Amino acid sequence: MMTELVTTKIKYRPISGVETQVAGENLLRYWIEGKKISLRKIESVYREEANDPRASGISHMVINGNLHRTPDGSLEGPMWGSYVTNNEELGGYWTGRFHGYFYNNGTFQFDAYGNGGGAFKGQRIRLHSTSGDSAQSIFEGYIQETCT
């Protein structure tokens, strides 16, 4: 469990939560070359629920990846993309990028970095997310605030 860290001008608030897929991927943008599968601009929507309400909301993700078939026929490889998470209740949003890896057992993990807008302007968010064997993943990280 992370604890709150305060420097002279910046405060780091720990966050954790659950991300659940609410709309499937649009898999119309992919191609196969032998054992390699390239994914480009795959769109997906997730609901974020966190212990800090600023990290909750609806995320629209654009996913890219270069996957390859393993000897057992499953897929694995690097993935990256961008996201926008809207929190209409608080009037803020996050925009950012992520990168990670999709493993041959169907799980993934990624790191995300974002900047706040609207009510979250001037704040930054950083997350590390890991998936299980369902359409749900868990994340933890922090929101960086500027102290006044």
Side-chain angles (χ1 to χ4, degrees), residues 68-98:
H68 63 275
R69 291 219 178 269
T70 62
D72 67 0
S74 58
L75 298 171
E76 71 175 18
M79 299 186 78
W80 66 93
S82 60
Y83 70 92
V84 176
T85 302
N86 290 303
N87 185 313
E88 292 183 12
E89 185 177 322
L90 297 179
Y93 60 90
W94 302 102
T95 60
R97 301 210 170 273
F98 65 89

Side-chain angles (χ1 to χ4, degrees), residues 39 63-71 74-81 98-112 128-132 137:
L39 307 172
I63 304 166
N64 303 289
N66 290 328
L67 307 179
H68 63 275
R69 291 219 178 269
T70 62
S74 58
L75 298 171
E76 71 175 18
M79 299 186 78
W80 66 93
F98 65 89
H99 65 274
Y101 202 83
F102 183 82
Y103 296 96
N104 66 355
N105 63 2
T107 63
F108 63 85
Q109 61 179 305
F110 67 84
D111 293 304
H128 178 74
S129 181
T130 55
S131 72
S137 60

Side-chain angles (χ1 to χ4, degrees), residues 1-85:
M1 177 78 186
M2 297 176 65
T3 59
E4 184 175 291
L5 172 67
V6 180
T7 65
T8 55
K9 296 187 179 188
I10 299 173
K11 185 181 289 186
Y12 295 88
R13 301 253 186 204
I15 56 174
S16 61
V18 177
E19 177 181 73
T20 306
Q21 187 175 14
V22 295
E25 292 93 0
N26 172 2
L27 293 177
L28 298 177
R29 297 180 188 110
Y30 74 94
W31 61 94
I32 301 172
E33 288 182 34
K35 294 182 178 183
K36 179 181 172 186
I37 299 175
S38 298
L39 307 172
R40 296 296 181 267
K41 298 183 180 177
I42 307 300
E43 299 171 11
S44 195
V45 180
Y46 294 84
R47 181 178 62 249
E48 316 290 345
E49 298 176 272
N51 61 339
D52 186 319
R54 293 173 295 175
S56 296
I58 299 295
S59 290
H60 294 266
M61 300 178 82
V62 177
I63 304 166
N64 303 289
N66 290 328
L67 307 179
H68 63 275
R69 291 219 178 269
T70 62
D72 67 0
S74 58
L75 298 171
E76 71 175 18
M79 299 186 78
W80 66 93
S82 60
Y83 70 92
V84 176
T85 302

Side-chain angles (χ1 to χ4, degrees), residues 114-128:
N115 294 306
F120 307 152
K121 186 176 181 178
Q123 299 175 41
R124 294 183 181 185
I125 191 167
R126 181 174 180 168
L127 303 171
H128 178 74

